[in-house]
Amino acid sequence: MLLFGKVQVGDALPTLEVPVTARTVVMGASSSRDWQPQHHDYAWATTRAGTKDIFLNTPNQAGWIERYLTDWTGPYGRLGRMRFRMRRPVYPGETLVFNGTVRETAVDESSCAWVDVDIELTVGEDVATEASARLAIPQDDKDNPWRRSGDDWRP
Amino acid sequence: MSSALEEEIGARTAALVPKWTGASLDAGPGDVECERGYILHWAEATENANLLYWDEGVAQDVTGGWIAPPSMLSVWMRPLMFNPNAREQVRPLEMHFRLKDAFELPEGIVTGNEIVFGVPVRPGDMIATKQTVTEIGDVRTNRLGTGRPWTIDVTYTNQRDEVVAVESYRMFCYVRNAS
C-alpha cells in the first residue's frame, strides 16, 4: 500500500515498457468495444486512414495509463481525474515507454490525500501521448479513498 | 487578418453558435451492462494485475465488491455492432455529429480529453449518458483547415442516477485546407 507520507513532489514513478504487437492493438480495440477499422484492419489503416499500420485506440491508452498508475499505488489508489492528449499513433513493432513524475501533493478539506502525476508515453525519441492524473491514496493504513462519496469525494 | 474562408464560415455559422451552445442530448442507457467478462477482457488487454479485478476478497475489503476499472467508461456507452432490437442507429458521441452536420464542417478531430470520476461502476450497472455542448469557439485556421473548436461534456450516470463520471471532449471541426 502506497501511503501519502511516502510521496514527495518530484518523485519518479517506475518506468514501464510495453512491446506493442498487432495483438496488443486488436485486443485493446476489442476490450473497449471499439470497432473503428483503423484499430484492426491493416489494409484500411494504410490505404484509407493513411497511417503506416493499425494503431492503439484512445480508450485502450487510457486503460494502460490507469494500469501504470495503479501498479505504483496498489489497489487502494483511486483515480479521480485524468487528462490526456495524443500526439502521434502507436504501431505494432514499437515499444511504448511510460514515465511519470509527481507534480503536486495536497490534502483537501475532507482530509482526502491527493497526488497529481504527469505522465509521458514515448516511442523512441517521440512523445506519443501526454497525460496527467489525480489520484487519491491513503493517508495511513486505516484510510481508504474508495469509501469516499458525496462531498467527501472532490476530484 | 481573416481569410475569405474564415469570414465565410464565420458569417454562415454565427447564428448557430447561440442556438447550439447549451444544447443537450439524453442518449439514454447503453446496449450492454457492466459485467465481469468485459472487466477481465479489459484487464487482460492492459496486462493489469490490480487485485481489485482478480481477487474477490481484496475487492470486497477495498471497494465493497467487484468494480470496473474507471478508465473503462466508454465501453458502457458504445452501441452493439449488431442489435436486432435497436430502434435507430445511434453513433457514439451523437451530439458531435449533429453539430458537424449543422455547421457543415465535415472533418473533425479530438484535441483533448478530460475525465472526472465519481462513484465506481459495478457489475450489473447500466450506464446512461447525457451530452451537452458547453462551448463553441471562434473560427480559426490551423494546419488542418478552417473551422470552429467546441467542447462537449458527457455525463455518465448509473441506474440510481449517481454520476459515475463527467468527460469533456475538446474537438476541432473544419473544412480542409485547399492543397
Side-chain angles (χ1 to χ4, degrees), chain A residues 85-151:
Chain A
R85 178 167 174 257
M86 284 159 297
R87 296 174 56 170
R88 66 93 116 172
V90 180
Y91 300 113
E94 296 182 329
T95 298
L96 190 57
V97 180
F98 293 68
N99 282 290
T101 307
V102 176
R103 174 169 32 85
E104 191 174 343
T105 62
V107 177
D108 72 16
E109 292 171 358
S110 68
S111 299
C112 186
W114 294 101
V115 179
D116 289 278
V117 180
D118 291 328
I119 306 131
E120 271 192 349
L121 283 61
T122 54
V123 175
E125 299 293 309
D126 297 341
V127 176
T129 300
E130 294 172 316
S132 62
R134 178 160 234 233
L135 295 111
I137 60 172
Q139 294 209 60
D140 56 47
D141 59 9
K142 294 183 177 55
D143 189 15
N144 180 357
W146 289 103
R147 293 204 191 107
R148 293 180 169 275
S149 61
D151 287 343

Side-chain angles (χ1 to χ4, degrees), chain B residues 5-99:
Chain B
L5 184 57
E6 284 180 346
E7 290 181 7
E8 184 269 315
I9 292 173
R12 177 167 59 75
T13 61
L16 296 172
V17 174
K19 178 182 173 186
W20 282 88
T21 302
S24 281
L25 171 70
D26 187 346
D31 286 348
V32 299
E33 67 178 49
C34 174
E35 50 105 324
R36 284 278 296 150
Y38 284 124
I39 293 168
L40 289 176
H41 191 23
W42 182 271
E44 172 191 30
T46 51
E47 300 172 18
N48 188 340
N50 190 332
L51 292 175
L52 291 182
Y53 314 123
W54 297 99
D55 185 320
E56 190 167 14
V58 172
Q60 192 63 47
D61 288 346
V62 178
T63 56
W66 295 120
I67 63 166
S71 57
M72 279 189 80
L73 200 56
S74 65
V75 171
W76 317 122
M77 79 160 179
R78 288 183 198 282
L80 291 165
M81 296 299 288
F82 169 75
N83 182 353
N85 298 318
R87 282 173 296 182
E88 59 178 319
Q89 186 63 42
V90 177
R91 297 165 288 191
L93 212 55
E94 176 71 30
M95 181 58 89
H96 167 64
F97 292 100
R98 293 189 185 184
L99 274 177

Side-chain angles (χ1 to χ4, degrees), chain A residues 30 32-33 66 82 144 153, chain B residues 41 62 71 75 78 115 117:
Chain A
S30 166
S32 50
R33 305 184 54 246
E66 179 184 346
M82 180 162 61
N144 180 357
W153 179 249
Chain B
H41 191 23
V62 178
S71 57
V75 171
R78 288 183 198 282
I115 312 170
F117 298 100

